[in-house]
């Protein structure tokens, strides 16, 4: 009663002393505290007291608007969100729940990111109440729009809300949106996105299991590098347990393999398993799908090979498997019987023995029986866990949500909880103490990257991850938790937390966490890289074109008839103009151009070094996206690096996001900066990074070439037969072709064609053996998938000159002119 009386007085703003007013609001901290206390008591039985409490809540819900003053706006919304928490905990306040949803729906369209985050978080908790789900679904379009927000925390919250508000009435539209979202989704969210999409498809496909199989196959294709085996296991379990789906599942897998190939290992495992189990139901001879599976066998990992071996022995029993097909299967088993992998060796020998049994082996290799009915293994990855939500806690306490409807997600702990605790301490009068920072581990900078780390101190342990395996996306580069990660929304601005408290204004962000080294920093990266030798210019005499092969053997066409002029030069990216004129009094101690050249065929190495700074680079590429980690070390033992800056101009065809750069780096310290890139379409000019710093009244400004080129996003081109590739080659050569005769560098000339082939493979131009009738020539084929341009194929042919050692004719063809020009430019830069 006392709290309600206080709230009545404060909301009416009657007889409030001036010292209790905060931007004209009567004691917002006291209002929040009173509503927090009321949540720990049952709903009043006294009708007058209950009516007074409901009137207070209604006044707050209907009287709160956005204002221009930042601090006043924070206080108003702190009160409002705590009022929503209180309404959801009251037994007789159901008439106020829909107004709460309407208010939160309006917040979804606000520009302020913290308000949108809190609205999404609160709506997620309210979506656990079945009576409110229809009201929340009215804002489905705004939630989907939040999936594309610039803030990753808002994107994750929007995904969780979309998952919670989905039911049988909107599941198809929601899943279509999520499947389309995969194209632009961040690495960090793709595993969660795939799992939740699969769970929704399975949950609401009771009457149409084939739809789930189709959705699951799309998810495996799009997110195979980010998920574990559970999804394709669930696919085959459902297909096996529904005999009426066997034929349609086999047809779906055959069409996928024929038209799109195997995008990743998980797709190949699912296709192989289903064709082995259900392929006998297809109205085609087994040799058709066997011939598509066999070329993929040697390019996969051991787990996939084991599954494919089992599929082969089952295909041998399919009706219509003729002697040539049986001979191919026996050949694979014979070759694998000497494998270094004992599992593959034993499996091949056993299958060979079974084949010798003849018809009597059919009883041993019968199709798999139905799996026992059990709960979906996918559901285990998305469990009920949201203890930080006061709204969800109130709902659970009152039992207003049933267990099957509540959708809650395990999330990584963030600093938001610390802010909530600090805010509660402010309300209660306790002084919030800053959390102690962990001690920086002694690391020899990039020594841990290349296996030469100092052992004087242990490396920092990586953060714990959910049980779902696959690619460790929070630690994709193997460097442990990023100390310079962006703060949660509650940390970035002084906005109210979900508990309703108004946090104190946040302090300026600290510089990126640094690591020190106890070992000598003469070679700061631990690479042992000596200064590169000066570049020796080649003779200016015009090279003689290599002898063209006989017309009867040149299956790729009369290439010698094509003008063999130099490839189109890539336009140089002009360095960004700095705000003040600078003189580079600090010069690099390494050949910067040679460092950039090495990174074209390697994923990590040295980018730049001078007397004060060393910059190492480690990269990882997956499909259309990549991550680059800069390791910037201060070699000085006494002086800070000041005015540190790194900027990257916009590049057409690329989407780039660089982590904020700290202003300084302490002596003998290192920082790590993450750069995320995604290719949208082919680009010719690679981006440069403008790097600058000051030390001892000296200024250094460098424009450094980044190893971000089209070839970094390539993956192997699926080739079913040489004839298919030759047809594609002629089609691409007719659209866009670049050709150049070039003397490769001495290292490649001495290594011969094999060293050139290794370089092509390192540049992700996959060399396809046996396609060129001349064994001294090389043929490579790859592809990339841009976010806007879709799939683009590119192929290269390398012809050696029998008369001049180290002289080759390079031909690059693609349906896209920018792609062929970009790949040719990279070949020239890397091999010349």
């Amino acid at each position: 009663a006392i709290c309600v009386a206080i709230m009545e007085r404060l909301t009416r703003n009657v007889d409030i002393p001036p010292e209790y007013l905060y931007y004209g609001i009567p004691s917002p901290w006291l209002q929040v505290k009173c509503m927090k206390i009321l949540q720990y008591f049952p709903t009043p039985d006294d009708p007058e007291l209950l009516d007074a409490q409901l009137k207070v809540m209604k006044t707050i819900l209907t009287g709160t608007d956005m204002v221009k003053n930042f601090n006043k706006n924070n206080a108003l919304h702190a009160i409002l969100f705590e009022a929503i928490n209180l309404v959801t905990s009251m037994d007789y306040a159901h008439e106020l729940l829909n107004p709460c949803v309407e208010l939160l729906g309006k917040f979804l369209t606000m520009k302020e990111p913290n308000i949108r985050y809190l609205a999404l978080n609160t709506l997620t908790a309210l979506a656990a109440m079945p009576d409110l789900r229809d009201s929340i679904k009215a804002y489905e379009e705004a939630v989907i729009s939040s999936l594309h927000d610039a803030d990753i925390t808002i994107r994750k919250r929007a995904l969780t809300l979309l998952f919670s508000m989905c039911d049988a009435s909107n599941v198809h539209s929601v899943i279509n949106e999520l499947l389309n979202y995969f194209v632009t989704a961040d690495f960090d969210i793709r595993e969660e996105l795939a799992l939740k999409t699969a769970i929704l498809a399975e949950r609401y496909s009771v009457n149409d299991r084939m739809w789930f199989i189709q959705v699951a196959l799309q998810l495996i294709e799009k997110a195979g590098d980010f998920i574990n085996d559970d999804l394709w296991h669930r696919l085959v379990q459902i297909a096996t347990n529904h005999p009426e789906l066997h034929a349609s599942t086999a047809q779906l897998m055959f069409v996928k393999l024929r038209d799109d190939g195997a995008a990743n290992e998980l797709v190949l495992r699912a296709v192989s398993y289903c064709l082995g189990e259900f392929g006998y139901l297809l109205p085609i001879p087994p040799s058709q799908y066997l011939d598509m599976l066999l070329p993929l066998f040697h390019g996969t990992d051991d787990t996939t090979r084991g599954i494919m071996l089992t599929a082969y022995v089952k295909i041998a029993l399919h009706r219509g498997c003729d002697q040539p097909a049986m001979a191919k299967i026996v050949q694979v088993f014979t070759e694998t019987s000497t494998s270094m992998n004992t599992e593959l060796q034993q499996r091949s020998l056993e299958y060979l023995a079974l084949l010798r049994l003849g018809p009597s082996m059919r009883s041993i290799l019968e199709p798999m029986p139905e799996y026992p009915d059990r709960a979906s293994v996918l559901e285990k990855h998305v469990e009920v866990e949201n203890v930080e939500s006061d709204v969800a806690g109130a709902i659970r306490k009152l039992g207003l949500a049933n267990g099957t409807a509540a959708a809650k997600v395990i999330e990584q702990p963030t600093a938001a909880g610390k802010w909530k605790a600090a805010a509660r301490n402010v309300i209660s009068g306790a002084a919030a103490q800053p959390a102690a920072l962990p001690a920086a581990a002694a690391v020899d900078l990039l020594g841990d990257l290349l296996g030469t780390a100092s052992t004087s101190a242990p490396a920092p342990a990586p953060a714990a991850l959910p049980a779902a395996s696959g690619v460790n996306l929070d630690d994709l580069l193997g460097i442990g938790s990023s100390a310079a990660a962006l703060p949660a929304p509650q940390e970035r601005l002084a906005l109210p937390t979900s508990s309703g408290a108004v946090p104190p204004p946040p302090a300026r962000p600290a510089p990126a966490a640094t690591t020190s080294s106890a070992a000598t920093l003469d070679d700061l990266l631990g690479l042992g890289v000596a200064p590169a030798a000066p570049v020796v210019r080649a003779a200016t005499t015009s090279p003689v074109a290599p002898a063209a092969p006989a017309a009867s053997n040149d299956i790729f066409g009369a290439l010698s008839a094509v003008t063999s002029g130099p490839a189109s030069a890539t336009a140089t990216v002009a360095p960004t103009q700095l705000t003040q004129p600078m003189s580079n009094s600090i010069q690099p101690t390494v050949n910067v151009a040679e460092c950039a050249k090495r990174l074209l065929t390697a994923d990590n190495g040295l980018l730049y070094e001078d007397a004060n700074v060393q910059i190492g680079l480690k990269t990882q590429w997956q499909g259309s996206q990549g991550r680059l980690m800069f390791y910037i070390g201060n070699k000085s033992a006494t002086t800070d690096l000041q005015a540190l800056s790194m900027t990257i101009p916009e590049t057409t065809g690329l989407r780039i996001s660089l982590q904020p750069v700290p202003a300084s780096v302490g002596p003998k310290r290192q920082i790590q900066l993450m750069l995320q890139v995604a290719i949208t379409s082919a680009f010719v000019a690679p981006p440069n990074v403008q790097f600058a710093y000051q030390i001892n009244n000296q200024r250094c400004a460098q424009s450094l070439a980044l190893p971000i080129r089209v070839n970094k996003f390539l993956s192997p081109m699926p080739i079913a037969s040489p004839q298919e590739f030759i047809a594609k080659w002629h089609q691409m050569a007719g659209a866009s072709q670049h050709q150049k005769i070039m003397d490769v560098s001495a290292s490649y000339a001495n290594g011969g064609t094999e060293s050139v082939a290794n370089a092509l493979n390192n540049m992700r131009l996959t060399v396809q053996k046996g396609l060129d009738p001349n064994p001294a020539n090389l043929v490579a084929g790859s592809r990339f998938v841009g976010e806007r341009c879709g799939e683009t194929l590119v192929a290269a042919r390398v012809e050696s000159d029998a008369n001049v050692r180290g002289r080759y004719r390079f031909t690059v063809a693609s349906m896209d002119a920018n792609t062929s020009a970009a790949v040719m430019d990279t070949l020239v830069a890397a091999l010349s």
Side-chain angles (χ1 to χ4, degrees), residues 618-808:
K618 183 176 182 182
T619 65
Q620 186 159 351
W621 310 89
Q622 292 183 357
S624 63
Q625 302 190 28
R627 285 186 174 182
L628 296 84
M629 179 66 75
F630 296 95
Y631 295 75
I632 305 175
N634 182 0
K635 297 167 67 175
S636 173
T638 58
T639 310
D640 288 0
L641 296 180
Q642 299 289 342
L644 185 67
S645 67
M646 291 181 71
T647 57
I648 303 175
E650 290 187 5
T651 301
T652 302
L654 282 176
R655 185 163 52 86
I656 296 177
S657 175
L658 178 64
Q659 193 174 341
V661 182
S664 63
V665 180
K668 294 291 184 180
R669 297 280 179 169
Q670 175 211 40
I671 62 170
Q672 301 169 1
L673 296 176
M674 175 75 76
L675 171 66
Q676 297 191 34
V677 296
I679 185 171
T680 59
S681 59
F683 58 95
V684 179
N688 285 16
V689 58
Q690 315 303 327
F691 173 72
Y693 71 91
Q694 289 180 351
I695 188 170
N696 295 328
N697 296 322
Q698 292 181 305
R699 179 74 177 176
C700 175
Q702 296 285 339
S703 180
L704 306 175
L706 292 175
I708 304 175
R709 293 177 177 251
V710 169
N711 65 288
K712 294 293 185 179
F713 302 95
L714 296 178
S715 58
M717 179 194 299
I719 299 174
S721 65
Q723 293 75 18
E724 178 187 354
F725 180 81
I726 294 168
K728 289 181 179 178
W729 171 271
H730 286 296
Q731 184 182 12
M732 291 185 289
S736 173
Q737 177 176 284
H738 285 70
Q739 193 173 99
K740 184 176 180 64
I741 298 171
M742 181 175 65
D743 291 334
V744 298
S745 62
S747 60
Y748 292 114
N750 295 334
T753 305
E754 184 177 354
S755 65
V756 176
N758 291 335
L760 293 179
N761 286 323
N762 290 337
M763 286 185 279
R764 293 175 171 79
L765 284 165
T766 307
V767 174
Q768 309 286 348
K769 296 182 180 180
L771 293 182
D772 197 301
N774 187 346
N777 296 343
L778 300 172
V779 176
S782 295
R783 64 174 186 138
F784 76 89
V785 180
E787 294 179 354
R788 295 197 185 102
C789 66
E791 183 184 62
T792 302
L793 302 179
V794 60
R797 189 187 187 197
V798 183
E799 301 166 273
S800 61
D801 191 331
N803 300 318
V804 182
R805 184 180 185 181
R807 180 167 296 170
Y808 297 88

Side-chain angles (χ1 to χ4, degrees), residues 146-157 159 178-194 222-223 225-227 471-474 476 486 622 624-627 655-658 674-678 787:
S146 297
L147 287 174
H148 305 281
D149 195 274
D151 193 324
I152 181 64
T153 57
I154 290 180
R155 294 198 295 272
K156 288 186 175 182
R157 255 316 112 186
L159 175 60
L178 294 179
L179 289 173
N180 293 332
Y181 178 52
F182 260 103
V183 178
T184 56
D186 295 88
F187 288 164
D188 294 340
I189 203 174
R190 288 196 176 188
E191 181 181 17
E192 180 183 355
L193 178 58
K222 293 174 181 289
D225 295 328
F226 303 90
I227 57 177
V471 179
N472 186 341
L473 298 178
D474 289 338
L476 192 61
L486 293 176
Q622 292 183 357
S624 63
Q625 302 190 28
R627 285 186 174 182
R655 185 163 52 86
I656 296 177
S657 175
L658 178 64
M674 175 75 76
L675 171 66
Q676 297 191 34
V677 296
E787 294 179 354

Side-chain angles (χ1 to χ4, degrees), residues 313 316-317 326 330 333 349-365:
V313 75
L317 295 179
M326 185 70 74
V330 171
F333 289 158
L349 290 171
E350 291 175 351
Y351 289 160
L352 279 173
L354 288 174
L355 290 177
R356 294 190 185 101
L357 293 177
S360 59
M361 69 174 179
R362 292 187 178 275
S363 59
I364 303 174
L365 297 174

Side-chain angles (χ1 to χ4, degrees), residues 217 220-221 253 256 261-272:
L217 185 59
I220 295 169
E221 182 179 22
M253 298 299 173
K256 171 62 67 175
N264 52 62
E265 297 288 338
L266 298 191
V267 171
L268 187 53
R269 293 174 191 177
V271 169
S272 300

Side-chain angles (χ1 to χ4, degrees), residues 238-260:
I238 289 180
T240 302
N241 288 0
H242 294 78
E244 69 278 6
L245 301 180
H246 290 181
S248 54
T249 300
Q251 181 67 27
L252 175 67
M253 298 299 173
F254 173 75
V255 172
K256 171 62 67 175
L257 186 63
R258 182 193 63 192
D259 296 346
D260 302 325

Side-chain angles (χ1 to χ4, degrees), residues 254 257-259 275 287-296 720:
F254 173 75
L257 186 63
R258 182 193 63 192
D259 296 346
L275 288 178
S287 58
Q288 289 194 22
Y289 46 88
L290 177 64
D291 288 342
M292 291 189 292
L293 288 173
L294 287 173
L296 304 175

Side-chain angles (χ1 to χ4, degrees), residues 125-172:
L126 292 175
M129 305 176 69
D131 294 341
L132 293 180
R133 193 167 296 165
D134 288 338
S135 301
I136 296 174
K137 283 194 295 185
Y139 304 98
E140 181 179 320
E141 185 175 346
V143 177
I144 291 174
S145 177
S146 297
L147 287 174
H148 305 281
D149 195 274
D151 193 324
I152 181 64
T153 57
I154 290 180
R155 294 198 295 272
K156 288 186 175 182
R157 255 316 112 186
L159 175 60
T160 302
L161 175 55
L162 202 59
F163 177 78
S164 301
M165 63 191 285
C166 184
D167 58 20
S169 65
N170 64 345
V171 63
H172 286 81

